[in-house]
């Protein structure tokens, strides 16, 4: 059986599974659509949260960016995992105890203001839409290679699948679909990693293989990789090249952005009790760790295999010839990825060789970060079924998070705008219809933006984390732990944090991500060495400062609000959530 047919069978089977689950678990009420009826088992919810959390950025792009960025990009690992601990400890249990459906609903009630709720909706939609661009980008990358269609066609296929199971199933359908997607993505990620780790180090455990000896050189794998990169003029894998300031702010931005991500927070509204929310968070960390401990090994080993492919006799010998690339069957993957435009090679100097070096003028090979995980099994000449499996895994990762994000957008529009403010008398059936329509509109917008992303998947997602960090996280933290912050302070803080972060991002990425409209680049940033992907931490500080200044300059919150904050924070009654 040829590779394309096998890819089609495996991916098609997983899609049929997702759609079948969505039909079985379709939502029949707003409670099921928004929060899966609040009856999800903590272990099941932990697995679903893992799939929701491990997006295309985690599955497809993170190992790729580590592969090419080395030490500097370890901030992705520290920020995303550390942020999840913050979310589990400081945010999720308290919001579950509050007993609402959405993040804007909590902010609106806690800050006793429909304006605050509306601003929270704007912040949520801005961050979620930016995040979903990265997911749709990942969908396009996976489809364009493994199903041999162009990027736009891949986006449309992925959007159709998400539309079906998210719009029909709501949170209930999404939850059980994400459990299946987690099983697919973690299996697809770890099996190739085990094979490759065995090939390069003889160790079947990839995280341990990363620190084992390379079978070819007899030296530690990381030392071997550093030597390869040094010979070709690249920065060493273990070398810090970014400023400590930017790495610190980037890590903080990812951490607090994680703790403010609405599509992850709403997962904790689906369990029956506050105790279940804490248990669910613990299980989520276990399921997430399986992939995150493996990603650095996948990135490093992928770079070793890539260099070995183009320098089969060592980096001190001749590079791979164009004739060999065009004739050898084991290099089909180079030609196939070249057709997608995500890998490009050109014999610029006419010597018949494809030179891969750091010097831009001499380099004749360009590899997009986003293909490293998907291409890894092909680079390592693994069996066809492994290649098909990783295609299904990449799509599962992208589609699971896209569904969660679209769910967050849909519930914010239907529940926090239409039901709460525009038409309070709307029937439950009408609210359910509006939720499905708003999700359909969000899918159309996300598909369009996914075809024109501001960067590769992990970069785009990092921007979304910065937006969540600067707007939603401070409001949630102050809402839970401060009795003094009032409605005026919360609104002013969110607007200031979001506004300054959006402007900073647009100055570096282009206004509304339109190419050519930027005034600065991340290589030459506006403020010190702070890149656009790191500015969320600065925006959060602005949010906190403005909120406290305005709150202290205006009246205290009403007594019942201060009592509400106290009741949410204390452990008394923590076994059950309270609908305030």
């Amino acid at each position: 059986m040829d590779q394309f047919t096998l890819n089609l069978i495996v991916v098609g089977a997983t899609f049929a599974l997702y759609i079948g689950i969505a039909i079985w678990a379709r939502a029949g009420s707003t409670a099921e659509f928004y929060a899966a009826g609040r009856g999800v088992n903590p272990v099941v919810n932990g697995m679903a949260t893992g799939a929701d959390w491990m997006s295309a950025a985690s599955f497809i792009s993170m190992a790729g960016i580590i592969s090419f960025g080395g030490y500097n990009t370890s901030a992705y690992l520290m920020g995303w995992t550390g942020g999840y601990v913050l979310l589990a400890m400081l945010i999720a249990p308290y919001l579950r105890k509050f007993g609402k459906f959405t993040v804007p609903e909590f902010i609106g009630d806690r800050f006793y203001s429909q304006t605050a709720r509306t601003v929270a909706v704007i912040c949520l939609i801005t961050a979620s839409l930016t995040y979903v661009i990265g997911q749709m980008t990942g969908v396009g990358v996976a489809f364009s290679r493994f199903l041999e269609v162009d990027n736009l066609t891949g986006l449309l296929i992925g959007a159709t699948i998400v539309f079906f199971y998210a719009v029909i199933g709501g949170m209930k359908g999404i939850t059980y679909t994400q459990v299946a997607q987690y099983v697919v993505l973690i299996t697809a990620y770890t099996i190739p990693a085990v094979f490759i780790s065995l090939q390069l180090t003889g160790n079947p455990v990839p995280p341990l293989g990363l620190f084992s000896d390379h079978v070819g050189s007899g030296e530690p794998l990381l030392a071997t990789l550093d030597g390869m990169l040094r010979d070709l003029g690249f920065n060493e894998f273990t070398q810090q090249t970014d400023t400590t300031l930017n790495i610190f702010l980037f890590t903080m931005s990812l951490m607090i952005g994680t703790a403010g991500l609405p599509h992850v927070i709403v997962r904790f509204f689906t369990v029956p009790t506050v105790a279940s929310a804490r248990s669910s968070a613990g299980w989520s960390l276990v399921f997430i760790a399986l992939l995150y401990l493996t990603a650095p090994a996948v990135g490093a080993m992928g770079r070793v295999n890539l260099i070995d492919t183009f320098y089969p006799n060592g980096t001190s010998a001749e590079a791979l010839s164009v004739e060999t690339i065009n004739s050898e069957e084991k290099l089909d993957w180079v030609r196939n990825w070249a057709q997608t435009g995500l890998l490009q090679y050109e014999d610029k100097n006419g010597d018949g060789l494809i030179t891969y070096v750091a010097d831009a003028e001499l380099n004749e090979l360009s590899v997009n970060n986003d293909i490293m995980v998907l291409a890894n099994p092909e680079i390592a000449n693994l069996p066809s079924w492994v290649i098909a499996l990783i295609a299904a895994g990449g799509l599962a990762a992208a589609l699971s998070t896209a569904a969660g994000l679209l769910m967050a957008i849909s519930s914010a529009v239907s529940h926090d705008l239409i039901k709460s403010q525009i038409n309070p008398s709307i029937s439950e059936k009408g609210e359910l219809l509006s939720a499905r329509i708003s999700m359909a509109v969000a899918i159309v917008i996300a598909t369009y933006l996914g075809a024109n992303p501001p960067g590769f998947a992990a970069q785009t997602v990092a921007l979304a984390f910065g937006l969540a960090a600067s707007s939603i996280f401070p409001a949630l933290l102050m809402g839970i732990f401060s009795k003094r912050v009032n409605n005026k302070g919360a609104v002013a803080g969110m607007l200031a944090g979001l506004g300054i972060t959006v402007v900073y991002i647009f100055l570096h990425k282009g206004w509304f991500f339109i190419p050519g409209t930027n005034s600065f680049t991340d290589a030459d940033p506006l403020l010190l060495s702070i890149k656009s992907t790191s500015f969320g931490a600065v925006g959060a500080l602005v949010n906190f400062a403005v909120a406290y200044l305005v709150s202290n300059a205006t009246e205290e919150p009403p007594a019942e609000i201060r009592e509400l904050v106290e009741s949410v924070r204390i452990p008394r009654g923590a076994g059950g959530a309270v609908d305030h």
Side-chain angles (χ1 to χ4, degrees):
M1 185 181 297
D2 65 275
Q3 185 66 59
F4 173 77
T5 304
L6 188 58
N7 291 345
L8 205 59
I9 291 172
V10 173
V11 172
T14 59
F15 281 3
L17 175 64
Y18 306 152
I19 293 172
I21 292 173
I23 294 172
W24 166 73
R26 61 187 179 275
S29 66
T30 52
E32 289 183 338
F33 192 88
Y34 293 138
R38 300 199 193 278
V40 180
N41 180 277
V43 179
V44 172
N45 193 58
M47 195 176 291
T49 305
D52 206 352
W53 171 240
M54 290 186 292
S55 62
S58 292
F59 188 101
I60 295 176
S61 196
M62 183 173 64
I65 200 171
I66 291 172
S67 183
F68 291 95
Y71 177 90
N72 295 333
T73 51
S74 62
Y76 281 93
L77 295 169
M78 294 184 293
W80 281 341
T81 51
Y84 195 84
V85 176
L86 280 182
L87 173 62
M89 299 292 291
L90 297 181
I91 303 294
Y94 300 103
L95 293 191
R96 179 63 191 91
K97 187 177 180 185
F98 199 79
K100 296 297 181 180
F101 280 136
T102 68
V103 170
E105 189 174 15
F106 166 78
I107 290 175
D109 285 6
R110 161 57 185 88
F111 295 110
Y112 52 99
S113 167
Q114 289 288 13
T115 302
R117 188 170 182 171
T118 303
V119 172
V121 170
I122 293 170
C123 295
L124 181 151
I125 291 175
T126 303
S128 296
L129 267 181
T130 305
Y131 199 162
V132 84
I133 296 171
Q135 310 318 306
M136 303 311 284
T137 302
V139 170
V141 169
F143 268 118
S144 62
R145 165 62 188 93
F146 293 110
L147 298 188
E148 299 179 14
V149 296
D150 61 74
N151 190 62
L152 180 59
T153 303
L155 280 173
L156 293 174
I157 295 172
T160 302
I161 298 296
V162 172
F163 174 85
F164 191 94
Y165 74 75
V167 171
I168 298 296
M171 181 59 84
K172 186 178 178 183
I174 287 171
T175 296
Y176 294 104
T177 301
Q178 285 175 335
V179 171
Q181 288 168 329
Y182 176 81
V183 173
V184 172
L185 75 87
I186 201 66
T187 303
Y189 202 85
T190 52
I191 286 179
V194 168
F195 273 112
I196 294 169
S197 183
L198 275 170
Q199 283 183 352
L200 293 179
T201 68
N203 194 318
V205 183
L208 299 180
L210 180 63
F211 300 100
S212 300
D213 290 341
H214 181 237
V215 293
S217 65
E219 296 181 351
L221 179 72
L222 289 176
T224 301
L225 178 56
D226 279 346
M228 288 176 163
L229 295 172
R230 190 167 52 246
D231 290 346
L232 300 176
F234 294 101
N235 294 320
E236 293 181 3
F237 190 80
T238 57
Q239 178 184 355
Q240 178 181 335
T241 56
D242 201 356
T243 66
T244 301
L245 172 65
N246 189 67
I247 291 176
F248 172 77
L249 289 177
F250 183 52
T251 304
M252 288 301 300
S253 182
L254 293 179
M255 284 181 68
I256 61 178
T258 295
L261 282 176
H263 77 289
V264 176
I265 292 172
V266 297
R267 287 242 50 92
F268 296 98
F269 297 166
T270 65
V271 293
T273 65
V274 176
S276 297
R278 293 186 186 278
S279 175
S280 177
W283 280 108
S284 300
L285 283 170
V286 171
F287 292 126
I288 289 168
L290 294 177
L291 187 145
Y292 270 62
L293 289 172
T294 306
V298 171
M301 293 174 186
R303 193 76 181 277
V304 169
N305 277 332
L306 180 70
I307 293 172
D308 276 340
T309 297
F310 284 88
Y311 288 90
N313 299 312
T315 49
S316 58
E318 275 193 343
L320 195 67
S321 69
V322 176
E323 181 183 355
T324 302
I325 293 175
N326 292 335
S327 60
E328 287 200 8
E329 185 179 346
K330 69 177 183 179
L331 294 174
D332 282 348
W333 70 269
V334 178
R335 301 190 294 276
N336 291 334
W337 278 106
Q339 290 175 8
T340 70
L342 298 172
L343 180 149
Q344 298 174 335
Y345 62 93
E346 179 188 0
D347 181 15
K348 297 178 183 177
N349 57 13
D351 65 355
L353 306 175
I354 298 299
T355 305
Y356 178 48
V357 291
D359 190 319
E361 293 185 3
L362 300 177
N363 184 49
E364 297 173 332
L365 174 69
S366 173
V367 182
N368 187 296
N369 288 0
D370 285 347
I371 79 167
M372 284 305 295
V373 170
L374 299 178
N376 232 351
E378 296 177 283
I379 298 173
N381 291 312
L382 296 185
S384 297
W385 65 268
V386 179
I387 296 170
L389 186 63
I390 206 158
L395 290 167
L399 295 177
S400 63
T401 302
L405 289 163
L406 293 164
M407 184 70 242
I409 294 170
S410 169
S411 58
V413 172
S414 60
H415 191 67
D416 294 303
L417 288 182
I418 297 174
K419 171 70 174 177
S420 173
Q421 299 178 56
I422 297 173
N423 186 11
S425 62
I426 191 172
S427 66
E428 180 170 336
K429 185 177 179 181
E431 185 181 353
L432 196 58
L433 178 62
S434 67
R436 286 175 166 144
I437 292 173
S438 59
M439 184 178 287
V441 172
I443 290 172
V444 172
I445 296 172
T447 304
Y448 170 76
L449 293 174
N452 303 279
F456 51 83
Q459 273 187 326
T460 308
V461 167
L463 296 176
F465 277 75
L467 295 171
S470 64
S471 58
I472 298 172
F473 174 76
L476 293 176
L477 200 66
M478 290 184 290
I480 294 168
F481 294 102
S482 174
K483 298 179 185 178
R484 184 61 187 87
V485 177
N486 61 18
N487 54 357
K488 295 182 178 65
V491 170
M494 284 189 288
L495 290 175
L498 180 66
I500 193 170
T501 305
V502 166
V503 169
Y504 197 84
I505 288 173
F506 283 169
L507 284 171
H508 292 76
K509 296 294 184 183
W511 291 91
F512 300 99
F513 299 135
I514 298 172
T517 59
N518 59 301
S519 302
F520 306 91
T521 67
D522 282 334
D524 184 24
L526 167 62
L527 180 62
L528 302 175
S529 60
I530 304 173
K531 299 178 182 179
S532 60
T533 49
S534 309
F535 197 77
V538 179
L541 291 175
V542 171
N543 188 330
F544 280 118
V546 170
Y548 276 106
L549 285 173
V550 172
S551 294
N552 285 311
T554 52
E555 69 281 355
E556 276 193 325
E560 63 269 20
I561 296 298
R562 297 198 299 273
E563 292 173 5
L564 171 62
V565 173
E566 186 70 20
S567 72
V568 168
R569 278 167 36 190
I570 61 176
R572 184 173 63 248
V578 180
D579 191 355
H580 295 285

